[in-house]
Amino acid sequence: MGFSSEAIFIKPELSKEEQLTLLNNLGYSDYIDNGETYFEEADSRQKHGVYIGHINGATYVIYDGVYETGNRNKDQLTDTEQKIVDTFPNSEILSLINIESVNAYGNSYIKAGTPIRVKEGAHPHVITNYGEELLIEKDYYVKKEHIDGNEFFYTKNHYQEGELNKWTHDQIGGSVAFELTKMIAGVSYTHDDIFYSEPHQFIPKNELQNVLSALENGKGEIPDKYVGFIPKKDFNELIDSVKEQLDSLNFKMDDQFNFKKEQNNLIYNITFTPFKDNEHIVRPQLNYKIEARRKEWYEEKFNRDKNRLGNSINNNIQVDAHSIGISDDRRDIFRFQGDYSYEKLSNEILIKIEKVILPYFEKVNGLEFIAEQNQSIFRIDFYLMAENYEKAEEAIIATLKKLAPVSVKESWTQEKLNNVLLEFEDKSGLLSNKIDVREIFESAVTVDEDDKQGEPSLQESIPPETEELQQQKSQLKKPWWKFW
């Protein structure tokens, strides 16, 4: 459904004391800091409370209704803007809204209390258009023209050089509003710097006290937005309990509540990291996974972190607990059935670890086991990592025989085909026995007569070995320690 965003940016950045003063002047004096949260929450339709964050020397404020519409006349400030100007008269202020589902947008730029530029609109009308276009607006539009009484805006097409995109004001207004944050924050509203900025959430003090009381006493209704949260003191006690359980098994906890143990060339990982770690309440999550150092192995053997097709190599083992007979109902144990109980939750966590996580870790006991649970390149890599070259050779040959007819049926390009074969030659270069990847591949191509019509012959499909390719193959067949 796209963005549904509204925010006010203020420069220079506000101190903690200035933030509290602003909250008070905006009518939120009874709100208290509930700690850091994610920007996605502040920017979502499920936002709750007031969010205040910082980015590149500026402060942003987000809450439902922070951008007031429908009561502005040209250079008139909204009530919210006037309160901010009264509190910080020498600041730069940018208000923006972008509701993409209905093509509604607005932006208001104020400097030292003076409105400089305001533009608001929604399909099909421009509602307010005050002041000269800002430099970013002018740069954003390559050109403008009027056709049959309608104004159209043209922007660069980033996918086709030299081409322009054509928009009406309501189609482009939200994007322009987002770009204008560069004036205050140095980056656009959609930039990663903003999405990783972790604002603080401020919520009503009485509401929080009611939630804590309901949790601690096991009585009272908990609003949906607080389902899954527990008191922070309870979370701290649970961490101590889990740590005590895992210490005896040689798991080490880091400062992010990740419990890790390395064994059998694998990393066993239990995470009890809070999804939201607020000052008073915490939304925990309990996850587990096993990783193999496949990425590091790949970099060591082939001096790159991507395969020949450009796909990144990761450490995931791709072995699901259910696939090997470990029963895990995947239920979120923090979404309580009935009233909250610390004792009940503590017991469920310990059972999850003992009945699900540790049996899974025990069963996935090495690289060869993981190889058996995987297919294609994954199986090959894990056998090679385990130095079981006989099984790795079998996996290479079996995978080539499966891919060969597929390559013709799907009409792989010469570039893709060449990269796939090079990838297999990379792998085969690590084997103790030499195998001819291209010969195995060619002999395995079988296509029905109907499929052959219009398809390139195998000889055409497989590019000839150039001198450069022969040099690459020669280099890949060197022992791994000679790569350094």
Side-chain angles (χ1 to χ4, degrees), residues 12 38-39 92 101 106 108 114 141 149 197 199 202 235-236 258 268 280 292 379 410 412 426 428 441 449 451 476:
Y38 300 102
F39 183 83
E92 285 184 79
S101 60
S108 168
T114 302
Y141 307 136
S197 58
F202 293 80
F235 174 75
N236 293 335
N258 295 304
Y268 298 88
H280 313 282
R379 172 172 286 196
E410 294 183 355
W412 286 5
D426 291 349
S428 65
F441 188 88
E449 289 298 320
D451 291 334
L476 289 170

PDB file of all heavy atoms in Angstrom, residues 12 38-39 92 101 106 108 114 141 149 197 199 202 235-236 258 268 280 292 379 410 412 426 428 441 449 451 476:
ATOM      1  N   PRO A  12      18.504  23.222  14.666  1.00  0.00           N
ATOM      2  CA  PRO A  12      19.437  22.188  15.117  1.00  0.00           C
ATOM      3  C   PRO A  12      18.779  21.141  16.013  1.00  0.00           C
ATOM      4  O   PRO A  12      17.659  21.320  16.491  1.00  0.00           O
ATOM      5  CB  PRO A  12      20.497  22.985  15.875  1.00  0.00           C
ATOM      6  CG  PRO A  12      19.777  24.190  16.367  1.00  0.00           C
ATOM      7  CD  PRO A  12      18.779  24.532  15.309  1.00  0.00           C
ATOM      8  N   TYR A  38      12.167   0.985  16.769  1.00  0.00           N
ATOM      9  CA  TYR A  38      12.582   0.990  15.372  1.00  0.00           C
ATOM     10  C   TYR A  38      11.842   2.087  14.606  1.00  0.00           C
ATOM     11  O   TYR A  38      10.659   2.350  14.853  1.00  0.00           O
ATOM     12  CB  TYR A  38      12.311  -0.368  14.724  1.00  0.00           C
ATOM     13  CG  TYR A  38      13.051  -1.498  15.391  1.00  0.00           C
ATOM     14  CD1 TYR A  38      12.388  -2.365  16.264  1.00  0.00           C
ATOM     15  CD2 TYR A  38      14.408  -1.685  15.172  1.00  0.00           C
ATOM     16  CE1 TYR A  38      13.080  -3.388  16.891  1.00  0.00           C
ATOM     17  CE2 TYR A  38      15.097  -2.712  15.787  1.00  0.00           C
ATOM     18  CZ  TYR A  38      14.430  -3.560  16.647  1.00  0.00           C
ATOM     19  OH  TYR A  38      15.107  -4.572  17.266  1.00  0.00           O
ATOM     20  N   PHE A  39      12.531   2.686  13.645  1.00  0.00           N
ATOM     21  CA  PHE A  39      11.897   3.723  12.845  1.00  0.00           C
ATOM     22  C   PHE A  39      10.683   3.187  12.101  1.00  0.00           C
ATOM     23  O   PHE A  39       9.697   3.906  11.907  1.00  0.00           O
ATOM     24  CB  PHE A  39      12.910   4.302  11.848  1.00  0.00           C
ATOM     25  CG  PHE A  39      12.337   5.432  11.028  1.00  0.00           C
ATOM     26  CD1 PHE A  39      12.306   6.715  11.533  1.00  0.00           C
ATOM     27  CD2 PHE A  39      11.832   5.203   9.755  1.00  0.00           C
ATOM     28  CE1 PHE A  39      11.773   7.759  10.789  1.00  0.00           C
ATOM     29  CE2 PHE A  39      11.303   6.233   9.008  1.00  0.00           C
ATOM     30  CZ  PHE A  39      11.270   7.517   9.529  1.00  0.00           C
ATOM     31  N   GLU A  92      15.161  25.811  11.906  1.00  0.00           N
ATOM     32  CA  GLU A  92      14.594  25.446  10.610  1.00  0.00           C
ATOM     33  C   GLU A  92      13.621  24.302  10.851  1.00  0.00           C
ATOM     34  O   GLU A  92      13.926  23.361  11.599  1.00  0.00           O
ATOM     35  CB  GLU A  92      15.682  24.970   9.646  1.00  0.00           C
ATOM     36  CG  GLU A  92      16.559  26.059   9.076  1.00  0.00           C
ATOM     37  CD  GLU A  92      17.537  25.495   8.057  1.00  0.00           C
ATOM     38  OE1 GLU A  92      17.112  25.260   6.893  1.00  0.00           O
ATOM     39  OE2 GLU A  92      18.696  25.277   8.417  1.00  0.00           O
ATOM     40  N   SER A 101      -1.415   5.846  -0.761  1.00  0.00           N
ATOM     41  CA  SER A 101      -2.613   5.104  -1.153  1.00  0.00           C
ATOM     42  C   SER A 101      -3.669   6.005  -1.778  1.00  0.00           C
ATOM     43  O   SER A 101      -4.504   5.543  -2.562  1.00  0.00           O
ATOM     44  CB  SER A 101      -3.200   4.372   0.055  1.00  0.00           C
ATOM     45  OG  SER A 101      -3.551   5.294   1.079  1.00  0.00           O
ATOM     46  N   GLY A 106       2.093  16.737   1.280  1.00  0.00           N
ATOM     47  CA  GLY A 106       2.235  18.107   1.746  1.00  0.00           C
ATOM     48  C   GLY A 106       3.627  18.328   2.291  1.00  0.00           C
ATOM     49  O   GLY A 106       4.264  17.406   2.808  1.00  0.00           O
ATOM     50  N   SER A 108       5.960  21.718   4.234  1.00  0.00           N
ATOM     51  CA  SER A 108       5.995  23.098   4.700  1.00  0.00           C
ATOM     52  C   SER A 108       7.383  23.377   5.270  1.00  0.00           C
ATOM     53  O   SER A 108       7.828  22.679   6.181  1.00  0.00           O
ATOM     54  CB  SER A 108       4.927  23.327   5.768  1.00  0.00           C
ATOM     55  OG  SER A 108       5.112  24.569   6.420  1.00  0.00           O
ATOM     56  N   THR A 114       9.573  32.096   9.846  1.00  0.00           N
ATOM     57  CA  THR A 114       8.960  32.619   8.629  1.00  0.00           C
ATOM     58  C   THR A 114       8.648  31.491   7.656  1.00  0.00           C
ATOM     59  O   THR A 114       9.551  30.720   7.288  1.00  0.00           O
ATOM     60  CB  THR A 114       9.896  33.627   7.935  1.00  0.00           C
ATOM     61  OG1 THR A 114      10.184  34.692   8.844  1.00  0.00           O
ATOM     62  CG2 THR A 114       9.256  34.176   6.670  1.00  0.00           C
ATOM     63  N   TYR A 141      12.756  18.280 -10.692  1.00  0.00           N
ATOM     64  CA  TYR A 141      12.016  18.340 -11.957  1.00  0.00           C
ATOM     65  C   TYR A 141      12.994  18.643 -13.089  1.00  0.00           C
ATOM     66  O   TYR A 141      13.665  19.666 -13.076  1.00  0.00           O
ATOM     67  CB  TYR A 141      10.961  19.442 -11.923  1.00  0.00           C
ATOM     68  CG  TYR A 141      10.019  19.394 -10.746  1.00  0.00           C
ATOM     69  CD1 TYR A 141       9.683  20.557 -10.054  1.00  0.00           C
ATOM     70  CD2 TYR A 141       9.460  18.199 -10.318  1.00  0.00           C
ATOM     71  CE1 TYR A 141       8.817  20.526  -8.984  1.00  0.00           C
ATOM     72  CE2 TYR A 141       8.596  18.161  -9.240  1.00  0.00           C
ATOM     73  CZ  TYR A 141       8.275  19.327  -8.578  1.00  0.00           C
ATOM     74  OH  TYR A 141       7.418  19.300  -7.513  1.00  0.00           O
ATOM     75  N   GLY A 149      -4.531  22.304 -19.949  1.00  0.00           N
ATOM     76  CA  GLY A 149      -4.856  22.894 -18.654  1.00  0.00           C
ATOM     77  C   GLY A 149      -4.290  22.155 -17.455  1.00  0.00           C
ATOM     78  O   GLY A 149      -4.498  22.577 -16.314  1.00  0.00           O
ATOM     79  N   SER A 197      17.749   4.872  12.508  1.00  0.00           N
ATOM     80  CA  SER A 197      18.046   5.908  13.499  1.00  0.00           C
ATOM     81  C   SER A 197      17.484   5.635  14.896  1.00  0.00           C
ATOM     82  O   SER A 197      17.854   6.302  15.842  1.00  0.00           O
ATOM     83  CB  SER A 197      17.528   7.264  12.995  1.00  0.00           C
ATOM     84  OG  SER A 197      16.127   7.200  12.745  1.00  0.00           O
ATOM     85  N   PRO A 199      14.403   5.911  16.968  1.00  0.00           N
ATOM     86  CA  PRO A 199      13.849   6.976  17.798  1.00  0.00           C
ATOM     87  C   PRO A 199      13.399   6.457  19.164  1.00  0.00           C
ATOM     88  O   PRO A 199      13.215   5.260  19.353  1.00  0.00           O
ATOM     89  CB  PRO A 199      12.632   7.443  16.977  1.00  0.00           C
ATOM     90  CG  PRO A 199      12.213   6.221  16.223  1.00  0.00           C
ATOM     91  CD  PRO A 199      13.500   5.523  15.867  1.00  0.00           C
ATOM     92  N   PHE A 202       7.586   7.820  23.281  1.00  0.00           N
ATOM     93  CA  PHE A 202       7.008   8.403  24.490  1.00  0.00           C
ATOM     94  C   PHE A 202       5.533   8.006  24.552  1.00  0.00           C
ATOM     95  O   PHE A 202       4.796   8.178  23.579  1.00  0.00           O
ATOM     96  CB  PHE A 202       7.152   9.930  24.478  1.00  0.00           C
ATOM     97  CG  PHE A 202       8.577  10.396  24.575  1.00  0.00           C
ATOM     98  CD1 PHE A 202       9.403  10.413  23.452  1.00  0.00           C
ATOM     99  CD2 PHE A 202       9.112  10.808  25.789  1.00  0.00           C
ATOM    100  CE1 PHE A 202      10.717  10.835  23.527  1.00  0.00           C
ATOM    101  CE2 PHE A 202      10.441  11.238  25.889  1.00  0.00           C
ATOM    102  CZ  PHE A 202      11.237  11.245  24.750  1.00  0.00           C
ATOM    103  N   PHE A 235      12.277  -9.860  32.509  1.00  0.00           N
ATOM    104  CA  PHE A 235      13.173 -10.238  31.420  1.00  0.00           C
ATOM    105  C   PHE A 235      14.587 -10.462  31.946  1.00  0.00           C
ATOM    106  O   PHE A 235      15.263 -11.435  31.576  1.00  0.00           O
ATOM    107  CB  PHE A 235      13.178  -9.161  30.339  1.00  0.00           C
ATOM    108  CG  PHE A 235      14.174  -9.404  29.244  1.00  0.00           C
ATOM    109  CD1 PHE A 235      13.942 -10.371  28.273  1.00  0.00           C
ATOM    110  CD2 PHE A 235      15.359  -8.684  29.195  1.00  0.00           C
ATOM    111  CE1 PHE A 235      14.870 -10.606  27.262  1.00  0.00           C
ATOM    112  CE2 PHE A 235      16.288  -8.918  28.192  1.00  0.00           C
ATOM    113  CZ  PHE A 235      16.038  -9.886  27.231  1.00  0.00           C
ATOM    114  N   ASN A 236      15.049  -9.564  32.815  1.00  0.00           N
ATOM    115  CA  ASN A 236      16.385  -9.704  33.384  1.00  0.00           C
ATOM    116  C   ASN A 236      16.527 -11.007  34.170  1.00  0.00           C
ATOM    117  O   ASN A 236      17.564 -11.674  34.107  1.00  0.00           O
ATOM    118  CB  ASN A 236      16.703  -8.511  34.276  1.00  0.00           C
ATOM    119  CG  ASN A 236      16.833  -7.211  33.486  1.00  0.00           C
ATOM    120  OD1 ASN A 236      17.137  -7.234  32.291  1.00  0.00           O
ATOM    121  ND2 ASN A 236      16.596  -6.093  34.136  1.00  0.00           N
ATOM    122  N   ASN A 258      22.954 -13.093  22.924  1.00  0.00           N
ATOM    123  CA  ASN A 258      23.126 -14.228  22.028  1.00  0.00           C
ATOM    124  C   ASN A 258      23.989 -15.264  22.729  1.00  0.00           C
ATOM    125  O   ASN A 258      25.074 -14.944  23.230  1.00  0.00           O
ATOM    126  CB  ASN A 258      23.820 -13.796  20.726  1.00  0.00           C
ATOM    127  CG  ASN A 258      22.972 -12.839  19.917  1.00  0.00           C
ATOM    128  OD1 ASN A 258      21.846 -13.150  19.574  1.00  0.00           O
ATOM    129  ND2 ASN A 258      23.520 -11.689  19.607  1.00  0.00           N
ATOM    130  N   TYR A 268      26.497 -22.953  16.998  1.00  0.00           N
ATOM    131  CA  TYR A 268      25.157 -23.162  17.546  1.00  0.00           C
ATOM    132  C   TYR A 268      24.756 -21.883  18.276  1.00  0.00           C
ATOM    133  O   TYR A 268      25.466 -21.407  19.152  1.00  0.00           O
ATOM    134  CB  TYR A 268      25.156 -24.354  18.494  1.00  0.00           C
ATOM    135  CG  TYR A 268      25.522 -25.659  17.817  1.00  0.00           C
ATOM    136  CD1 TYR A 268      26.848 -26.070  17.695  1.00  0.00           C
ATOM    137  CD2 TYR A 268      24.534 -26.474  17.274  1.00  0.00           C
ATOM    138  CE1 TYR A 268      27.186 -27.254  17.060  1.00  0.00           C
ATOM    139  CE2 TYR A 268      24.862 -27.675  16.635  1.00  0.00           C
ATOM    140  CZ  TYR A 268      26.188 -28.056  16.529  1.00  0.00           C
ATOM    141  OH  TYR A 268      26.507 -29.220  15.902  1.00  0.00           O
ATOM    142  N   HIS A 280      10.832   0.197  30.459  1.00  0.00           N
ATOM    143  CA  HIS A 280       9.957  -0.362  31.492  1.00  0.00           C
ATOM    144  C   HIS A 280       9.424  -1.743  31.135  1.00  0.00           C
ATOM    145  O   HIS A 280       9.200  -2.569  32.020  1.00  0.00           O
ATOM    146  CB  HIS A 280       8.770   0.583  31.731  1.00  0.00           C
ATOM    147  CG  HIS A 280       9.189   2.012  31.888  1.00  0.00           C
ATOM    148  ND1 HIS A 280       9.728   2.499  33.058  1.00  0.00           N
ATOM    149  CD2 HIS A 280       9.170   3.051  31.006  1.00  0.00           C
ATOM    150  CE1 HIS A 280      10.009   3.792  32.908  1.00  0.00           C
ATOM    151  NE2 HIS A 280       9.679   4.148  31.670  1.00  0.00           N
ATOM    152  N   ALA A 292      27.195 -22.592   9.535  1.00  0.00           N
ATOM    153  CA  ALA A 292      28.496 -23.127   9.145  1.00  0.00           C
ATOM    154  C   ALA A 292      29.301 -21.974   8.552  1.00  0.00           C
ATOM    155  O   ALA A 292      28.728 -21.065   7.962  1.00  0.00           O
ATOM    156  CB  ALA A 292      28.325 -24.234   8.111  1.00  0.00           C
ATOM    157  N   ARG A 379      24.935 -29.033  -1.155  1.00  0.00           N
ATOM    158  CA  ARG A 379      25.452 -30.359  -0.799  1.00  0.00           C
ATOM    159  C   ARG A 379      26.931 -30.464  -1.172  1.00  0.00           C
ATOM    160  O   ARG A 379      27.744 -30.963  -0.390  1.00  0.00           O
ATOM    161  CB  ARG A 379      24.649 -31.443  -1.509  1.00  0.00           C
ATOM    162  CG  ARG A 379      25.235 -32.836  -1.351  1.00  0.00           C
ATOM    163  CD  ARG A 379      24.320 -33.910  -1.884  1.00  0.00           C
ATOM    164  NE  ARG A 379      23.192 -34.120  -0.986  1.00  0.00           N
ATOM    165  CZ  ARG A 379      22.392 -35.185  -1.024  1.00  0.00           C
ATOM    166  NH1 ARG A 379      22.599 -36.128  -1.923  1.00  0.00           N
ATOM    167  NH2 ARG A 379      21.392 -35.310  -0.193  1.00  0.00           N
ATOM    168  N   GLU A 410      15.423 -24.428 -20.732  1.00  0.00           N
ATOM    169  CA  GLU A 410      15.162 -23.048 -20.311  1.00  0.00           C
ATOM    170  C   GLU A 410      15.941 -22.029 -21.132  1.00  0.00           C
ATOM    171  O   GLU A 410      15.897 -20.835 -20.841  1.00  0.00           O
ATOM    172  CB  GLU A 410      15.505 -22.896 -18.834  1.00  0.00           C
ATOM    173  CG  GLU A 410      14.603 -23.710 -17.913  1.00  0.00           C
ATOM    174  CD  GLU A 410      14.912 -23.487 -16.449  1.00  0.00           C
ATOM    175  OE1 GLU A 410      15.907 -22.769 -16.143  1.00  0.00           O
ATOM    176  OE2 GLU A 410      14.164 -24.019 -15.602  1.00  0.00           O
ATOM    177  N   TRP A 412      19.192 -21.251 -21.465  1.00  0.00           N
ATOM    178  CA  TRP A 412      20.152 -20.417 -20.742  1.00  0.00           C
ATOM    179  C   TRP A 412      21.013 -19.635 -21.725  1.00  0.00           C
ATOM    180  O   TRP A 412      21.396 -20.139 -22.787  1.00  0.00           O
ATOM    181  CB  TRP A 412      21.077 -21.290 -19.897  1.00  0.00           C
ATOM    182  CG  TRP A 412      20.424 -21.853 -18.671  1.00  0.00           C
ATOM    183  CD1 TRP A 412      19.123 -21.741 -18.296  1.00  0.00           C
ATOM    184  CD2 TRP A 412      21.060 -22.654 -17.670  1.00  0.00           C
ATOM    185  NE1 TRP A 412      18.892 -22.406 -17.127  1.00  0.00           N
ATOM    186  CE2 TRP A 412      20.067 -22.976 -16.712  1.00  0.00           C
ATOM    187  CE3 TRP A 412      22.345 -23.121 -17.482  1.00  0.00           C
ATOM    188  CZ2 TRP A 412      20.343 -23.753 -15.597  1.00  0.00           C
ATOM    189  CZ3 TRP A 412      22.635 -23.887 -16.366  1.00  0.00           C
ATOM    190  CH2 TRP A 412      21.638 -24.199 -15.424  1.00  0.00           C
ATOM    191  N   ASP A 426      35.255 -24.590 -10.411  1.00  0.00           N
ATOM    192  CA  ASP A 426      35.842 -24.122  -9.152  1.00  0.00           C
ATOM    193  C   ASP A 426      35.796 -25.224  -8.101  1.00  0.00           C
ATOM    194  O   ASP A 426      36.776 -25.501  -7.408  1.00  0.00           O
ATOM    195  CB  ASP A 426      35.071 -22.906  -8.625  1.00  0.00           C
ATOM    196  CG  ASP A 426      35.271 -21.667  -9.481  1.00  0.00           C
ATOM    197  OD1 ASP A 426      36.154 -21.676 -10.348  1.00  0.00           O
ATOM    198  OD2 ASP A 426      34.519 -20.696  -9.279  1.00  0.00           O
ATOM    199  N   SER A 428      35.283 -28.518  -8.547  1.00  0.00           N
ATOM    200  CA  SER A 428      36.021 -29.729  -8.912  1.00  0.00           C
ATOM    201  C   SER A 428      37.524 -29.521  -8.766  1.00  0.00           C
ATOM    202  O   SER A 428      38.278 -30.484  -8.601  1.00  0.00           O
ATOM    203  CB  SER A 428      35.677 -30.160 -10.339  1.00  0.00           C
ATOM    204  OG  SER A 428      36.117 -29.196 -11.271  1.00  0.00           O
ATOM    205  N   PHE A 441      28.749 -32.594 -18.293  1.00  0.00           N
ATOM    206  CA  PHE A 441      27.577 -31.767 -18.587  1.00  0.00           C
ATOM    207  C   PHE A 441      27.042 -32.051 -19.979  1.00  0.00           C
ATOM    208  O   PHE A 441      25.846 -32.260 -20.186  1.00  0.00           O
ATOM    209  CB  PHE A 441      27.960 -30.295 -18.439  1.00  0.00           C
ATOM    210  CG  PHE A 441      26.803 -29.344 -18.527  1.00  0.00           C
ATOM    211  CD1 PHE A 441      26.073 -29.003 -17.406  1.00  0.00           C
ATOM    212  CD2 PHE A 441      26.444 -28.776 -19.741  1.00  0.00           C
ATOM    213  CE1 PHE A 441      25.017 -28.118 -17.475  1.00  0.00           C
ATOM    214  CE2 PHE A 441      25.379 -27.897 -19.836  1.00  0.00           C
ATOM    215  CZ  PHE A 441      24.669 -27.571 -18.693  1.00  0.00           C
ATOM    216  N   GLU A 449      12.376 -34.381 -28.682  1.00  0.00           N
ATOM    217  CA  GLU A 449      12.481 -33.873 -30.043  1.00  0.00           C
ATOM    218  C   GLU A 449      11.732 -32.559 -30.214  1.00  0.00           C
ATOM    219  O   GLU A 449      12.199 -31.644 -30.867  1.00  0.00           O
ATOM    220  CB  GLU A 449      11.950 -34.914 -31.030  1.00  0.00           C
ATOM    221  CG  GLU A 449      12.846 -36.135 -31.175  1.00  0.00           C
ATOM    222  CD  GLU A 449      14.224 -35.758 -31.708  1.00  0.00           C
ATOM    223  OE1 GLU A 449      14.284 -34.899 -32.603  1.00  0.00           O
ATOM    224  OE2 GLU A 449      15.218 -36.323 -31.218  1.00  0.00           O
ATOM    225  N   ASP A 451      11.257 -30.304 -28.024  1.00  0.00           N
ATOM    226  CA  ASP A 451      11.957 -29.231 -27.343  1.00  0.00           C
ATOM    227  C   ASP A 451      13.183 -28.762 -28.114  1.00  0.00           C
ATOM    228  O   ASP A 451      13.676 -27.663 -27.918  1.00  0.00           O
ATOM    229  CB  ASP A 451      12.403 -29.680 -25.944  1.00  0.00           C
ATOM    230  CG  ASP A 451      11.211 -29.880 -25.018  1.00  0.00           C
ATOM    231  OD1 ASP A 451      10.196 -29.231 -25.272  1.00  0.00           O
ATOM    232  OD2 ASP A 451      11.318 -30.682 -24.071  1.00  0.00           O
ATOM    233  N   LEU A 476      42.555 -22.339 -10.789  1.00  0.00           N
ATOM    234  CA  LEU A 476      41.633 -22.933  -9.834  1.00  0.00           C
ATOM    235  C   LEU A 476      42.054 -24.326  -9.410  1.00  0.00           C
ATOM    236  O   LEU A 476      41.647 -24.802  -8.359  1.00  0.00           O
ATOM    237  CB  LEU A 476      40.220 -22.978 -10.429  1.00  0.00           C
ATOM    238  CG  LEU A 476      39.535 -21.622 -10.551  1.00  0.00           C
ATOM    239  CD1 LEU A 476      38.265 -21.764 -11.369  1.00  0.00           C
ATOM    240  CD2 LEU A 476      39.221 -21.060  -9.178  1.00  0.00           C
TER     241      LEU A 476
END
